Amino acid sequence: MSCLAWVIVAGAAAAAVVLAMLVLRRQPGRTWPLQPHPQVRPREELRVWTPRIGFVANPSKHDADDVRTRLLAQCEQRGLPQPLWLTTTVDDPGGGQARQALDAGVDVVVAVGGDGTVRAVAKTMVGAPVPMGLVPTGTGNILARNVDVPVTDVVGALGVVIDGRDADIDVGWLRVDRWGTHDHPDTHDDELFLVIAGLGFDGSMVAATDANLKARVGWVAYFLAGFRHLHERRRQVQVTRDDGDPQTAKVRSAMVGNCGRLPGGMTLLPDALLDDGWLDVALIDTRGGLAGWAQLFGEVVLQGAGMRTVLPAKIGRIDHARARRIHLEVAGSATLQVDGDIVGDVAALTTWVAPHALILRVP
């Protein structure tokens, strides 16, 4: 959900778009669909595929019981073998259950939950010989949005699992090289991300979002949390891409992404593709108070329309780059989030891409 940070100034959107459209140039559109898995089944076989499904479900969602009833009923109606239904816990948010499903010999493991559940299941599914499916029931559901899996229709999402196809997607990995001076977690495990890892304003916003409010109003809760951090100080970051020379900039947020589509049809990382073998970097900065945030919002809106601005001396900007390995260092420290989960306060981290490491069911 981190990638919603740049839409918090919706009230200034109209002015931002008018300003940004003064000077435009068209950009190539996003490549879609994903390339099929090499062993993808023919379409005629897809129609009669009757997989045994292993569901890994987050029971904390408010409609969890209804979702379970509907999914199991749909499996019965479709004549599928008796599915395996496993629920996550606080101590194990999905990885252990995904391993249990694989050990049981299921044909597909389906994450039923939000972005955190998806990430936990995916960490186990990397390198697995069977695909992973998505039934989104969370707030952001960003991976599902990026592959056009329905996010408000659990039966429709299950239909993608059964009638869709396999595609190999990249995953990002992240290692904290140096922790900050506070909020030091005990874990030193490498983190997997499928969408975006970000630090600075982005991480602060996610950390400040009220969970109860998010359950009631959805991703609007991130807007409200973001307003409290609009005037958070800019940070100096040093970025090293692959074997290049370090580059230094002052930014509000530094992001590394595997895909870039946001709720509402907006695009933060217009060049990010899930199967291209690259990670995309976005350095996000604003100056000039609300005017800078408004211009930044305009940048995001126009990117979603396949356009980039070439205005000089922009006070709200996103600088894009790409690499297969990215090292970030922050002067002092900053809060880091990974696909909407807070990792902690960090001073340096390294990310890298694992190309085509996960088989995903897509439309």
Side-chain angles (χ1 to χ4, degrees), residues 115-131:
D115 295 317
T117 304
V118 169
R119 190 167 72 93
V121 172
K123 193 169 185 178
T124 293
M125 295 299 294
V126 166
V130 303

PDB file of all heavy atoms in Angstrom, residues 115-131:
ATOM      1  N   ASP A 115      -2.150  -7.514   0.864  1.00  0.00           N
ATOM      2  CA  ASP A 115      -0.786  -7.533   0.344  1.00  0.00           C
ATOM      3  C   ASP A 115       0.183  -8.258   1.279  1.00  0.00           C
ATOM      4  O   ASP A 115       1.125  -8.901   0.817  1.00  0.00           O
ATOM      5  CB  ASP A 115      -0.306  -6.098   0.110  1.00  0.00           C
ATOM      6  CG  ASP A 115      -1.103  -5.405  -0.989  1.00  0.00           C
ATOM      7  OD1 ASP A 115      -1.360  -6.040  -2.024  1.00  0.00           O
ATOM      8  OD2 ASP A 115      -1.465  -4.227  -0.811  1.00  0.00           O
ATOM      9  N   GLY A 116      -0.044  -8.168   2.596  1.00  0.00           N
ATOM     10  CA  GLY A 116       0.836  -8.859   3.525  1.00  0.00           C
ATOM     11  C   GLY A 116       0.736 -10.369   3.395  1.00  0.00           C
ATOM     12  O   GLY A 116       1.745 -11.077   3.423  1.00  0.00           O
ATOM     13  N   THR A 117      -0.487 -10.878   3.253  1.00  0.00           N
ATOM     14  CA  THR A 117      -0.687 -12.306   3.059  1.00  0.00           C
ATOM     15  C   THR A 117      -0.059 -12.771   1.750  1.00  0.00           C
ATOM     16  O   THR A 117       0.609 -13.812   1.680  1.00  0.00           O
ATOM     17  CB  THR A 117      -2.181 -12.658   3.071  1.00  0.00           C
ATOM     18  OG1 THR A 117      -2.768 -12.196   4.294  1.00  0.00           O
ATOM     19  CG2 THR A 117      -2.400 -14.153   2.931  1.00  0.00           C
ATOM     20  N   VAL A 118      -0.253 -11.978   0.701  1.00  0.00           N
ATOM     21  CA  VAL A 118       0.315 -12.318  -0.605  1.00  0.00           C
ATOM     22  C   VAL A 118       1.839 -12.414  -0.516  1.00  0.00           C
ATOM     23  O   VAL A 118       2.454 -13.345  -1.035  1.00  0.00           O
ATOM     24  CB  VAL A 118      -0.108 -11.280  -1.657  1.00  0.00           C
ATOM     25  CG1 VAL A 118       0.686 -11.449  -2.955  1.00  0.00           C
ATOM     26  CG2 VAL A 118      -1.600 -11.384  -1.933  1.00  0.00           C
ATOM     27  N   ARG A 119       2.449 -11.467   0.158  1.00  0.00           N
ATOM     28  CA  ARG A 119       3.914 -11.462   0.262  1.00  0.00           C
ATOM     29  C   ARG A 119       4.421 -12.656   1.059  1.00  0.00           C
ATOM     30  O   ARG A 119       5.420 -13.291   0.688  1.00  0.00           O
ATOM     31  CB  ARG A 119       4.374 -10.148   0.906  1.00  0.00           C
ATOM     32  CG  ARG A 119       5.873  -9.933   0.839  1.00  0.00           C
ATOM     33  CD  ARG A 119       6.231  -8.502   1.197  1.00  0.00           C
ATOM     34  NE  ARG A 119       6.063  -8.231   2.598  1.00  0.00           N
ATOM     35  CZ  ARG A 119       7.048  -8.341   3.501  1.00  0.00           C
ATOM     36  NH1 ARG A 119       8.251  -8.740   3.130  1.00  0.00           N
ATOM     37  NH2 ARG A 119       6.823  -8.063   4.753  1.00  0.00           N
ATOM     38  N   ALA A 120       3.732 -12.992   2.142  1.00  0.00           N
ATOM     39  CA  ALA A 120       4.154 -14.118   2.966  1.00  0.00           C
ATOM     40  C   ALA A 120       4.044 -15.438   2.206  1.00  0.00           C
ATOM     41  O   ALA A 120       4.936 -16.289   2.272  1.00  0.00           O
ATOM     42  CB  ALA A 120       3.319 -14.177   4.249  1.00  0.00           C
ATOM     43  N   VAL A 121       2.945 -15.613   1.476  1.00  0.00           N
ATOM     44  CA  VAL A 121       2.774 -16.828   0.686  1.00  0.00           C
ATOM     45  C   VAL A 121       3.802 -16.884  -0.433  1.00  0.00           C
ATOM     46  O   VAL A 121       4.424 -17.925  -0.693  1.00  0.00           O
ATOM     47  CB  VAL A 121       1.342 -16.903   0.123  1.00  0.00           C
ATOM     48  CG1 VAL A 121       1.202 -18.055  -0.867  1.00  0.00           C
ATOM     49  CG2 VAL A 121       0.334 -17.054   1.261  1.00  0.00           C
ATOM     50  N   ALA A 122       4.019 -15.757  -1.099  1.00  0.00           N
ATOM     51  CA  ALA A 122       4.953 -15.722  -2.229  1.00  0.00           C
ATOM     52  C   ALA A 122       6.362 -16.081  -1.808  1.00  0.00           C
ATOM     53  O   ALA A 122       7.113 -16.702  -2.581  1.00  0.00           O
ATOM     54  CB  ALA A 122       4.935 -14.342  -2.867  1.00  0.00           C
ATOM     55  N   LYS A 123       6.756 -15.733  -0.601  1.00  0.00           N
ATOM     56  CA  LYS A 123       8.119 -16.031  -0.144  1.00  0.00           C
ATOM     57  C   LYS A 123       8.367 -17.531  -0.131  1.00  0.00           C
ATOM     58  O   LYS A 123       9.475 -17.998  -0.433  1.00  0.00           O
ATOM     59  CB  LYS A 123       8.351 -15.428   1.245  1.00  0.00           C
ATOM     60  CG  LYS A 123       9.808 -15.412   1.668  1.00  0.00           C
ATOM     61  CD  LYS A 123      10.014 -14.575   2.919  1.00  0.00           C
ATOM     62  CE  LYS A 123      11.499 -14.467   3.281  1.00  0.00           C
ATOM     63  NZ  LYS A 123      11.718 -13.621   4.470  1.00  0.00           N
ATOM     64  N   THR A 124       7.334 -18.303   0.201  1.00  0.00           N
ATOM     65  CA  THR A 124       7.452 -19.759   0.157  1.00  0.00           C
ATOM     66  C   THR A 124       7.322 -20.280  -1.264  1.00  0.00           C
ATOM     67  O   THR A 124       7.963 -21.274  -1.636  1.00  0.00           O
ATOM     68  CB  THR A 124       6.371 -20.402   1.045  1.00  0.00           C
ATOM     69  OG1 THR A 124       6.639 -20.078   2.416  1.00  0.00           O
ATOM     70  CG2 THR A 124       6.346 -21.915   0.886  1.00  0.00           C
ATOM     71  N   MET A 125       6.518 -19.614  -2.087  1.00  0.00           N
ATOM     72  CA  MET A 125       6.238 -20.109  -3.431  1.00  0.00           C
ATOM     73  C   MET A 125       7.345 -19.831  -4.441  1.00  0.00           C
ATOM     74  O   MET A 125       7.322 -20.375  -5.545  1.00  0.00           O
ATOM     75  CB  MET A 125       4.932 -19.484  -3.935  1.00  0.00           C
ATOM     76  CG  MET A 125       3.693 -19.888  -3.157  1.00  0.00           C
ATOM     77  SD  MET A 125       3.386 -21.675  -3.214  1.00  0.00           S
ATOM     78  CE  MET A 125       3.034 -21.884  -4.951  1.00  0.00           C
ATOM     79  N   VAL A 126       8.304 -18.982  -4.105  1.00  0.00           N
ATOM     80  CA  VAL A 126       9.413 -18.709  -5.024  1.00  0.00           C
ATOM     81  C   VAL A 126      10.143 -20.018  -5.342  1.00  0.00           C
ATOM     82  O   VAL A 126      10.570 -20.745  -4.448  1.00  0.00           O
ATOM     83  CB  VAL A 126      10.389 -17.689  -4.402  1.00  0.00           C
ATOM     84  CG1 VAL A 126      11.710 -17.654  -5.181  1.00  0.00           C
ATOM     85  CG2 VAL A 126       9.771 -16.306  -4.372  1.00  0.00           C
ATOM     86  N   GLY A 127      10.238 -20.315  -6.625  1.00  0.00           N
ATOM     87  CA  GLY A 127      10.916 -21.533  -7.060  1.00  0.00           C
ATOM     88  C   GLY A 127      10.062 -22.777  -7.013  1.00  0.00           C
ATOM     89  O   GLY A 127      10.527 -23.855  -7.415  1.00  0.00           O
ATOM     90  N   ALA A 128       8.817 -22.683  -6.534  1.00  0.00           N
ATOM     91  CA  ALA A 128       7.946 -23.859  -6.453  1.00  0.00           C
ATOM     92  C   ALA A 128       7.503 -24.269  -7.856  1.00  0.00           C
ATOM     93  O   ALA A 128       7.358 -23.432  -8.747  1.00  0.00           O
ATOM     94  CB  ALA A 128       6.727 -23.563  -5.585  1.00  0.00           C
ATOM     95  N   PRO A 129       7.239 -25.571  -8.067  1.00  0.00           N
ATOM     96  CA  PRO A 129       6.851 -26.032  -9.403  1.00  0.00           C
ATOM     97  C   PRO A 129       5.380 -25.799  -9.729  1.00  0.00           C
ATOM     98  O   PRO A 129       4.951 -26.052 -10.852  1.00  0.00           O
ATOM     99  CB  PRO A 129       7.159 -27.523  -9.347  1.00  0.00           C
ATOM    100  CG  PRO A 129       6.992 -27.886  -7.910  1.00  0.00           C
ATOM    101  CD  PRO A 129       7.455 -26.678  -7.123  1.00  0.00           C
ATOM    102  N   VAL A 130       4.587 -25.354  -8.773  1.00  0.00           N
ATOM    103  CA  VAL A 130       3.164 -25.091  -9.016  1.00  0.00           C
ATOM    104  C   VAL A 130       2.914 -23.600  -8.869  1.00  0.00           C
ATOM    105  O   VAL A 130       3.677 -22.880  -8.210  1.00  0.00           O
ATOM    106  CB  VAL A 130       2.259 -25.898  -8.053  1.00  0.00           C
ATOM    107  CG1 VAL A 130       2.536 -27.385  -8.172  1.00  0.00           C
ATOM    108  CG2 VAL A 130       2.443 -25.425  -6.616  1.00  0.00           C
ATOM    109  N   PRO A 131       1.836 -23.086  -9.467  1.00  0.00           N
ATOM    110  CA  PRO A 131       1.588 -21.643  -9.451  1.00  0.00           C
ATOM    111  C   PRO A 131       0.943 -21.159  -8.158  1.00  0.00           C
ATOM    112  O   PRO A 131       0.400 -21.931  -7.372  1.00  0.00           O
ATOM    113  CB  PRO A 131       0.649 -21.443 -10.637  1.00  0.00           C
ATOM    114  CG  PRO A 131      -0.079 -22.740 -10.764  1.00  0.00           C
ATOM    115  CD  PRO A 131       0.909 -23.803 -10.364  1.00  0.00           C
TER     116      PRO A 131
END
